[in-house]
Structure formats: structure tokens, C-alpha cells
Amino acid sequence: MIQLTRRHLLTAAGAAAVAGLAGCSDDGGDTSTEDKRAGAMDGFKVGDQFKATEPLTFPIMMLSNAAYPYKADWPFFKELAARTNVTLESTAVPGSDYNQKRSVMVSAGDAPFIIPKTYHPDEEAFIAGGAILPVSDYVDLMPHFQDKVSRWNLQGNLDGFKAQDGKFYLLPGLHENAWQDYTLAVRTDIMTKLGLTAPETWDDLTGVLREMKKAYPDQYPLSDRWSTPPLPGGNNLLNLIGTAYGTKAAWGWNPVYWDATASRFVYTGAMDQYRQMLEYVHTLVKEGLLDPESFTQTDDVARQKFATGKSFVISANAQTVVNEARKDIAKLPGATVAKMILPIGPAGATLPGETRLENGIMISKKALESKNFVAMMQFIDWLWYSDAGLMFSKWGIEGQTYSGKVDDGTFKLDPGIKWAGLNPDATKDLQVDFGFFNGVFAYGGSTAMLNSQFSDEEKAFQAEMNKRQVRPVPPPAPLTIEEREQVTLWDSGLKDHVFQNTLKFALGQRPLSEWDAYVKELEGKNSGKYVDTVNKAYDRYKKEHG
């Protein structure tokens, strides 16, 4: 996130730009909603508080987070009903089962109307079956969504969500600007003891780790977490380093990467930048700076090593530093930990533009049969995309859970309530006890709103990240149903080979002198055909849609 929200009216030009998203079906299908307005507001516009004209109930699929399990009696739901005249009928599913349960229910046509917490491109699997709506046909019913897309110049980002028919089937969370949370956390007391300065680049980090290794020769300075399969392990670490080198890996993995210079997609796992990333990681492993178990160990094991002083650097985000790392090292005299400003690599001081869109909402095709469809879309627009709805879903009720405003810097969470690093000693938890800041509802928003959730320490981190240039998002290259089926068959074997060899190269189990042979192995598994298919889709879309 970079700048505060510019509060101005939607211009005629901006409105025209977003109008192209909505209102009619490109294939001539009927998207009229005139007979589906029961309970809807007349003249619903930006800034309006949505309130259905009659009591309504909308079924929703609800991810139950292990950190704050779903409770039907959360104040969130009671207050939501009071404000909107809408009751949510939740199908609660544990996070560990969510994707599988969602897939089964959507494919069978049994999903609730509102299907949130879906990450692009997961929605593509349901397009051919017709179980979800092309939501771009109906954003004319969503003034707040259209307003933010226009004012924040997000049309190019949304284009990457479009299917081969030129429509998109997922309503993503919208961020005003790109932002970075995940990085590495470091024992700052050890840095001070050894007279080390914060690393600016990944090469600087290597130097820091070497000095730690000299002082503690029997330890691995960096022992990492977040190695859940089927990814290759070290999933945050490889993602960060991959991005720094200009490629995608682990958590950030995408089989194809847009080469802006050549104006073509290339196969990610065969990029020279991917090899450079692995050379860097292998150097850390070879010199004993990175614990080789980082690619296989559980989070608990990694945290235990950090907690007992056996390691000094570990992957982190703002919440894990406060909720886990600081608590983990509390028994070590004088131990302190903080997020490291994300080191810079060969790709420069940049941030990926993809972070401006979040996970989002699919709408079941069954919802279109409801006489309350328009009211439902207005409700979704208010709760997920209006400033007031976002403020409510994140922070709750003014005067009860918080005071002040986010846009003038006076916001304060009630001192008796804690969230992440705010009020850590409070007895009540905003998520567990109240149901606010639930990941099903609370994502996206303005820079000012994002900053409201940060401690002064995190605001300083964000200020440094905000100085970086945002890289443009890749252009659309939507596949046909037949193409998607074909690349899915190729992708399984290719991905397995990339992930297996990523680990082998990183650990030195396969020498990087065999890189060319590895690339030929990928070609033997149809990496060339995969890329050709995607580039063909890119050319076709560009010709048909400009």
C-alpha cells in the first residue's frame, strides 16, 4: 500500500470504463434482473448503507478458522442483521476441508448462494459445468465495487481473472495498492551483539548469516517453517527469493511467467532466474547457513528451534511475530525479534502487482433463480466493498469495539480487546469473541484502512515497502475448456518434476551442472507445448478483446 485513499467522486470516464464490465452477456444470454428485485433498495449508490426492504436470509459457505472457530452467536452476525436486515445461513466448514468440500458442493450444484474464500484461479474448474455465475455480468448492481475498480485503476488486474469468454467468475477483494507482509524475522539482540546491520539485499543477508555462523558454528542461523506439501518446502522462503530474482516459486508458483521483454509467456521452472534462485539457496545450504530440514520440518519443530536459540532467523508475517515468535523466545534472557525489511534481489526494489487483488467470492448459479438476487448483490457490494462495510467487518461497532476514524488517524481499538499486535494483554479477542476480522469477510480496502490494523512497528515496515515500484500484472491468456483440460494433464507431471528437482538442487542432491539436462526433461514432459498453448491463448484473447 502506498497512498491514502483519494476521496473523490466517480468520474464519468471512470464510470464508463467499468460499465464495460457489466450489464449484458457477451454471448447474448439474458442477464435481466428486473423480476429479481424483491427486498432490494431503489437507487442504491456509493456511500449508501444497504438495508433490505424486508427481512432476508442468504445461504453462505463459511470457512471455520482453527484460530477462531465459527460461532453462530458472534456479535458480528447480530449487528449485521440489524444494519442490513439480512441473516446469513452458514454452512460452516473447517479450513482443512474447505477446498475439497467447496469443490464437491459446487460441482454437485449443492453449494450455498455465496461462496467466499476462493483463490484465483480455483474458480476456473467450475466454469465449464455452469455451476457458478459470470459475475462480471452483474457488477452493474454493485456501485461500491465499480467505484473502487475505477478509482484505484484495477481494471488491468481484473483482466487477468477473465475466462476465454471475456468474463470473470470471481469477485476478488480489492486493495488500493500493492502491499507486502511476509518476510523473515530475525533475532535483533543477536544482530546487536554481533555488531551486524540490517541487510539491504539478499547477498547482504548471506553475509549476516555467515557472521552468525562464525559466532555459533554448531548452529544453523536460518531454520525455516511453512513447508507444507505438495509444494517443495521452504514455501515462503523460496517465494520471497524467487520474486527477488524475477520468477515464481513455492507459495508463489505459477507454471508460466510473463516475459515482458519478449512479450511471451515462458515456463517458470525452466527460467534462468529460477536457476539463479536455486544457486542462491544451495549456497546457503552448502555453507551451513540454512538448515536443510527447512524443506521438510513442521512449523512446530521450526518454532521450537527458534524458541530455544538454535536458530536466529525464520519466516514470518506481522501476526506471527507478535502472536508466536515473541512468545516463543520469552524464556530466553534479553531475546528480541522483529520483521526484517524484505531484502532486494536482482529484480530490483519491486513488489508484485498481483497483491492488489485478494481471494474472493463465487456466486452459485442457483442464486440467479431467487427473487432476492438483486438484494443479495447489493448486500455483497456493501459488506465486502463499501468503506462502511469493510470497517464493520474488520473492526466492528464504533463506540463498542473501536473509536475514531481510519482516514484521519484517530482510530483506536478498544483497550479491552486484542487483535494481532494491538492490545496484546487484553482479555477479549476481536476474532474469537466477537467474530470481526474474520478472513471470510475482512480483506481488501484502502491504504488508510490497512494501516489501521498495524502497530507503529509494522507501519514503519510498510512505509519502507511502499517505496518500492509495483510490477505490472501479466496480461490475460484464458484457455478454452479443451485447452484447460489438456494443460491440466501436462501440469501434474511437470509440477511434480519441478518441485522434486527444486528440492534436489537446493539441497545439493543434484548438481546444478545438470540444469540443462533438467530443462530437457521438462521439455520431454511437454513444457514447450504447455507454453505454446498459453501463448496461443494470449494471442487469441488479444485479437478478440484488445
Side-chain angles (χ1 to χ4, degrees):
M1 298 282 179
I2 299 172
Q3 299 175 340
L4 294 179
T5 303
R6 299 185 301 276
R7 296 193 175 277
H8 53 75
L9 294 176
L10 182 63
T11 64
V18 221
L21 294 174
C24 62
S25 172
D26 291 342
D27 60 8
D30 181 15
T31 60
S32 173
T33 55
E34 286 306 310
D35 61 341
K36 302 175 176 65
R37 299 190 61 88
M41 292 176 59
D42 291 330
F44 181 59
K45 63 185 183 303
V46 173
D48 285 352
Q49 163 67 57
F50 171 77
K51 189 160 189 177
T53 59
E54 59 185 79
L56 301 176
T57 298
F58 297 131
I60 183 172
M61 192 163 181
M62 173 71 86
L63 183 147
S64 181
N65 194 302
Y68 45 93
Y70 166 78
K71 297 177 183 176
D73 61 351
W74 270 330
F76 170 87
F77 293 116
K78 182 178 180 181
E79 181 67 18
L80 181 67
R83 294 190 185 197
T84 65
N85 214 10
V86 169
T87 299
L88 289 176
E89 183 181 82
S90 300
T91 299
V93 181
S96 58
D97 298 329
Y98 190 80
N99 287 353
Q100 181 178 2
K101 183 71 176 291
R102 181 192 62 202
S103 179
V104 171
M105 294 183 72
V106 173
S107 299
D110 295 331
F113 287 1
I114 305 172
I115 313 162
K117 210 64 180 174
T118 299
Y119 289 83
H120 177 73
D122 288 357
E123 79 280 8
E124 292 180 355
F126 310 113
I127 294 174
I132 59 173
L133 287 180
V135 289
S136 55
D137 282 345
Y138 304 99
V139 294
D140 60 316
L141 304 173
M142 304 178 68
H144 297 97
F145 177 89
Q146 293 189 93
D147 175 55
K148 283 181 167 55
V149 169
S150 177
R151 286 193 295 114
W152 295 350
N153 195 26
L154 285 165
Q155 182 57 63
N157 297 66
L158 275 176
D159 284 346
F161 277 42
K162 288 182 178 178
Q164 195 267 338
D165 59 6
K167 304 178 183 185
F168 56 88
Y169 291 72
L170 182 72
L171 288 168
L174 308 177
H175 286 284
E176 182 180 4
N177 287 294
W179 69 294
Q180 179 73 34
D181 184 8
Y182 286 79
T183 181
L184 299 174
V186 61
R187 281 277 301 277
T188 45
D189 59 309
I190 298 296
M191 295 282 288
T192 301
K193 178 181 177 180
L194 299 180
L196 302 173
T197 57
E200 294 184 6
T201 67
W202 285 96
D203 287 340
D204 291 344
L205 176 62
T206 304
V208 167
L209 296 175
R210 284 170 176 160
E211 291 302 313
M212 290 178 171
K213 186 71 175 180
K214 287 180 184 177
Y216 301 90
D218 297 328
Q219 298 178 206
Y220 293 108
L222 169 53
S223 186
D224 214 18
R225 63 183 304 177
W226 290 326
S227 291
T228 306
L231 295 172
N235 297 327
N236 178 60
L237 182 65
L238 290 180
N239 181 33
L240 297 178
I241 300 173
T243 300
Y245 275 83
T247 187
K248 297 283 189 181
W251 272 351
W253 170 256
N254 191 311
V256 292
Y257 192 92
W258 176 248
D259 183 338
T261 302
S263 294
R264 305 307 283 168
F265 286 94
V266 297
Y267 193 74
T268 306
M271 294 174 68
D272 191 58
Q273 292 90 334
Y274 201 89
R275 178 188 59 79
Q276 293 172 17
M277 172 198 72
L278 291 174
E279 285 181 339
Y280 178 84
V281 175
H282 176 58
T283 296
L284 300 185
V285 173
K286 181 175 63 175
E287 295 188 18
L289 309 178
L290 171 61
D291 185 353
E293 293 182 358
S294 295
F295 299 93
T296 54
Q297 66 191 1
T298 65
D299 282 13
D300 288 344
V301 171
R303 288 177 59 186
Q304 183 64 18
K305 290 177 180 178
F306 192 77
T308 55
K310 293 181 179 179
S311 68
F312 308 124
V313 183
I314 190 172
S315 279
N317 60 30
Q319 291 195 49
T320 61
V321 166
V322 174
N323 295 340
E324 298 176 359
R326 287 189 175 143
K327 293 177 181 179
D328 289 346
I329 63 171
K331 294 182 179 179
L332 297 176
T336 54
V337 61
K339 283 176 72 173
M340 182 188 299
I341 299 299
L342 186 63
I344 297 169
T350 61
L351 295 176
E354 292 91 332
T355 59
R356 297 189 66 199
L357 298 186
E358 270 272 12
N359 68 82
I361 303 164
M362 296 188 296
I363 304 296
S364 169
K365 190 173 184 179
K366 292 190 305 182
L368 191 58
E369 301 170 5
S370 170
K371 64 180 182 179
N372 306 125
F373 178 76
V374 172
M376 186 191 76
M377 298 303 290
Q378 291 179 347
F379 167 76
I380 290 172
D381 183 61
W382 179 81
L383 182 57
W384 273 275
Y385 298 104
S386 76
D387 290 344
L390 287 164
M391 191 67 193
F392 168 72
S393 63
K394 286 193 174 187
W395 295 120
I397 308 166
E398 186 175 5
Q400 295 185 33
T401 59
Y402 76 90
S403 61
K405 308 293 182 184
V406 299
D407 52 2
D408 64 7
T410 61
F411 167 83
K412 297 288 182 185
L413 183 63
D414 184 276
I417 301 172
K418 61 185 174 183
W419 182 83
L422 303 179
N423 306 331
D425 298 324
T427 57
K428 293 285 188 179
D429 187 285
L430 186 69
Q431 295 171 312
V432 175
D433 299 305
F434 295 88
F436 296 109
F437 235 112
N438 188 303
V440 171
F441 306 103
Y443 47 78
S446 68
T447 300
M449 188 167 292
L450 178 72
N451 287 340
S452 72
Q453 69 194 61
F454 296 145
S455 63
D456 290 341
E457 175 186 15
E458 180 62 17
K459 287 177 183 176
F461 174 87
Q462 292 296 329
E464 289 299 314
M465 293 296 98
N466 292 344
K467 296 175 183 177
R468 302 190 178 184
Q469 183 179 1
V470 179
R471 297 195 298 275
V473 296
L479 305 176
T480 65
I481 296 171
E482 295 77 16
E483 288 169 340
R484 189 179 300 115
E485 290 175 349
Q486 180 60 72
V487 299
T488 298
L489 292 175
W490 291 332
D491 184 59
S492 180
L494 281 166
K495 182 170 61 177
D496 288 347
H497 198 67
V498 171
F499 289 174
Q500 290 168 11
N501 281 277
T502 294
L503 188 56
K504 289 178 180 179
F505 284 131
L507 296 177
Q509 296 169 353
R510 183 175 187 180
L512 279 157
S513 59
E514 295 185 9
W515 178 261
D516 290 344
Y518 154 77
V519 171
K520 289 182 179 178
E521 291 161 8
L522 293 177
E523 292 171 354
K525 295 179 180 294
N526 297 303
S527 63
K529 292 181 180 178
Y530 191 120
V531 169
D532 288 345
T533 301
V534 174
N535 281 316
K536 177 183 175 183
Y538 161 70
D539 291 336
R540 179 179 61 234
Y541 187 89
K542 185 177 181 181
K543 180 179 179 180
E544 293 177 355
H545 301 282

